[in-house]
Amino acid sequence: MSRKLGLFRLENCGYAVPLDRILRVVDCGFCTTLPLISDRMAGMLVLDDEVIPVLDSNWLSGVAAGQGLNAGFKILLTTEVGTVALPADMTVGLVAENRYEHVTSEQETTKFFPESISYRNNRYRVLNVDVFMLSLIRP
Amino acid sequence: MDAIARRLLFQIGTVGFCLNLGELVEIREQITELIDYSQVDQQVSVVGTLPFHQASIPVVNLASRLDILSVSPDIVLVLNSSAGNWGLLVDHVEGFYSATEMTDCLVPLLLQADGWCCFDRIALYSGIPFLRLNLSDCYSGAER
């Protein structure tokens, strides 16, 4: 079965998340701050009596900190540490593997983003959810 | 009525907190001019003392320790602990609510503080989060 990716944009950066990790996309331009959280977190979102951590925007290299709180969309992911929300300004859509092109270059490869794709002339870095979440627990 | 079954909801800055009603002695409002700011102990966030029933109790301002913007808190919650009565400066009191109307959950791992903290649970009331204060972590009195 071909892999499908959810494509999103935050500021001027595009990122992609494997569809099997996406629980829900919430149209919600706010979240609640919490004292003493790490500078990689923006706050929390309460949905259906569940407290969901929301990442700040600086997890995506090239995007300044502080955009996570008010980003218009929250992408809810299933992870080993429970549900986690990523901020996004725009949802681009879902794409199947045969609709995008692999364009990974050595310079932009990181352990969080091992590959990049191109879809309709825009680049999206594909997030390795497990490796990234592990880095948040054990920085 | 069982006092433990009710909770006080309040705000420091714009952050919501809650505590069990059994931990509350009294609410004092418009106290800014009554506080004696000469007795400060920054290490335990004591900003002064407040006259209280022929005694004087320490007043704790958690805002700076929690990195919360609190411009001019003017309410003191007088609380009891093993160290005696002490006051907590807050900005706004929401009111008293039944604990049965709230859902409690742990602070998610990714939102837990690395070092000192004074809450480990979140009470959800109508979907709005209120941090449950552990009073013994806020002020023990032992350091004074």
Side-chain angles (χ1 to χ4, degrees), chain A residues 15-18 59 77 86 112-115 125-129 132:
Chain A
Y15 68 90
V17 181
W59 67 279
L77 306 182
L86 301 180
F112 304 149
F113 297 99
E115 58 179 317
R125 303 172 77 195
V126 182
L127 181 67
N128 184 324
V129 175
F132 180 59

Side-chain angles (χ1 to χ4, degrees), chain A residues 30-84:
Chain A
F30 65 92
C31 64
T32 307
T33 54
L34 197 72
L36 308 176
I37 53 177
S38 108
D39 58 7
R40 300 182 79 175
M41 307 304 298
M44 60 186 162
L45 192 63
V46 178
L47 281 175
D48 304 326
D49 277 348
E50 185 184 2
V51 175
I52 299 164
V54 179
L55 264 87
D56 197 11
S57 44
N58 55 356
W59 67 279
L60 204 54
S61 58
V63 178
Q67 312 297 313
L69 273 178
N70 300 318
F73 296 94
K74 306 292 185 288
I75 316 305
L76 272 50
L77 306 182
T78 175
T79 79
E80 287 185 8
V81 291
T83 306
V84 176

Side-chain angles (χ1 to χ4, degrees), chain B residues 11-68:
Chain B
Q11 286 183 320
I12 300 176
T14 57
V15 180
F17 291 89
C18 79
L19 50 80
N20 290 329
L21 196 53
E23 296 168 317
L24 178 70
V25 177
E26 198 170 314
I27 299 174
R28 288 276 176 101
E29 295 180 271
Q30 297 177 320
I31 44 70
T32 307
E33 289 176 7
L34 300 175
I35 294 178
D36 174 3
Y37 292 99
S38 65
Q39 296 183 53
V40 178
D41 186 345
Q42 285 181 341
Q43 226 176 355
V44 287
S45 305
V46 171
V47 294
T49 57
L50 180 73
F52 185 71
H53 297 304
Q54 286 85 46
S56 176
I57 60 169
V59 175
V60 171
N61 188 349
L62 287 177
S64 59
R65 205 169 179 190
L66 290 171
D67 200 18
I68 295 173

Side-chain angles (χ1 to χ4, degrees), chain B residues 1-8 19-22 96-99:
Chain B
M1 184 180 289
D2 181 5
I4 301 297
R6 288 173 72 79
R7 291 177 181 166
L8 175 72
L19 50 80
N20 290 329
L21 196 53
F96 302 103
Y97 298 88
S98 168

